[in-house]
Amino acid sequence: MNTQTAYPSKLKTLLLAAAVSVLAACAGTSSTATGPVPEGHYRVQSGDNLYRIGLRFGQSAQTLAAWNNLSDPTKIEVGQVLRVRPKGGSGSASTSARASADVSARETTVAPTNRLNLQWPVDNGSANVIAPYNGGSNKGIDIGGEAGTPVKSAAAGKVLYAGEGLRGYGKLILISHNSSTLTAYAHNQSISVQKDQTVQAGQVIGTMGDTDADRVKLHFEVRINGKAVNPMPYLN
């Protein structure tokens, strides 16, 4: 498949505006399926699961399950509203202020609270970038290479996800590095880490491959507060 054009469509669901709710099981939630939603919440869309929602908002599936009292995290329903930000963490900015912030976020690099210096996830990666970040059709960078090339964690952190449940990404690894920043590593041939595992900077987490891709490559993303940003300024 042509992942250069597929990334926006595959991530469109993940990047829907934050919105909404009380759990569908709670009294009075029937009207929230089409009504407005408060900040710090999100309304479940078709095709969503907790991993997808966690990727969008920089939270783990376990955290979302705990915040929303989900006894079975695999069972969420379209239209259900979930808390995706900690209480008191969504802010009280006016609509106009939020709109202004959204414009600024699109025009500038978003800086994390604790900025990370990231290392290249593959050796000689800087010399093998085959598709740069453009903020539109490509939300990260694509690095070419040979199948089986070691893929390394760009910084110390904790594995949020390791699997192939997100169409368009093949075998995917997500690593959380602090409260605001995570990195994504897609199209791996193999994965050598597990969810919730702690990893060190430079630790091998998988091997480069072509799962759900048109050629052997690593698709690498940096997400800050849920937004995909250009990885280049953060890579050493």
Side-chain angles (χ1 to χ4, degrees):
M1 66 177 287
N2 186 349
T3 54
Q4 186 69 6
T5 58
Y7 288 126
S9 61
K10 302 307 179 185
L11 281 178
K12 188 174 181 180
T13 300
L14 304 180
L15 300 177
L16 291 174
V20 338
S21 100
V22 278
L23 295 176
C26 296
T29 58
S30 58
S31 63
T32 64
T34 58
V37 297
E39 287 199 27
H41 292 75
Y42 172 80
R43 177 177 289 120
V44 177
Q45 306 293 317
S46 177
D48 273 346
N49 58 41
L50 282 190
Y51 290 119
R52 284 187 172 94
I53 298 170
L55 174 62
R56 165 64 181 87
F57 294 100
Q59 308 292 348
S60 69
Q62 292 94 328
T63 296
L64 295 180
W67 285 350
N68 293 282
N69 299 314
L70 301 177
S71 58
D72 186 348
T74 66
K75 294 182 179 180
I76 57 176
E77 300 178 355
V78 173
Q80 184 176 352
V81 290
L82 302 174
R83 175 171 290 280
V84 294
R85 301 287 189 204
K87 292 182 179 180
S90 58
S92 58
S94 66
T95 300
S96 60
R98 290 195 301 271
S100 176
D102 289 342
V103 171
S104 296
R106 289 194 295 269
E107 295 176 346
T108 63
T109 297
V110 182
T113 303
N114 299 309
R115 178 175 176 130
L116 289 176
N117 289 317
L118 304 177
Q119 66 178 47
W120 282 87
V122 294
D123 292 341
N124 299 317
S126 60
N128 292 291
V129 175
I130 58 175
Y133 168 92
N134 60 27
S137 61
N138 198 0
K139 299 295 186 181
I141 59 174
D142 292 347
I143 304 170
E146 297 183 359
T149 298
V151 174
K152 304 173 183 179
S153 178
K158 183 178 181 179
V159 178
L160 285 180
Y161 177 83
E164 46 188 326
L166 293 179
R167 187 178 303 171
Y169 286 86
K171 293 183 179 180
L172 172 69
I173 302 166
L174 303 178
I175 298 177
S176 173
H177 303 290
N178 57 34
S179 61
S180 62
T181 308
L182 64 81
T183 50
Y185 313 75
H187 307 308
N188 296 283
Q189 180 181 75
S190 65
I191 294 174
S192 55
V193 291
Q194 299 178 347
K195 188 167 67 74
D196 295 330
Q197 180 177 337
T198 298
V199 295
Q200 301 302 315
Q203 180 175 335
V204 174
I205 57 176
T207 58
M208 189 181 291
D210 61 356
T211 55
D212 216 353
D214 55 358
R215 58 166 292 172
V216 173
K217 63 183 176 182
L218 174 69
H219 177 71
F220 177 71
E221 293 186 10
V222 176
R223 289 181 172 269
I224 298 174
N225 295 323
K227 295 182 181 294
V229 301
N230 186 356
M232 298 300 287
Y234 302 93
L235 288 166
N236 292 319

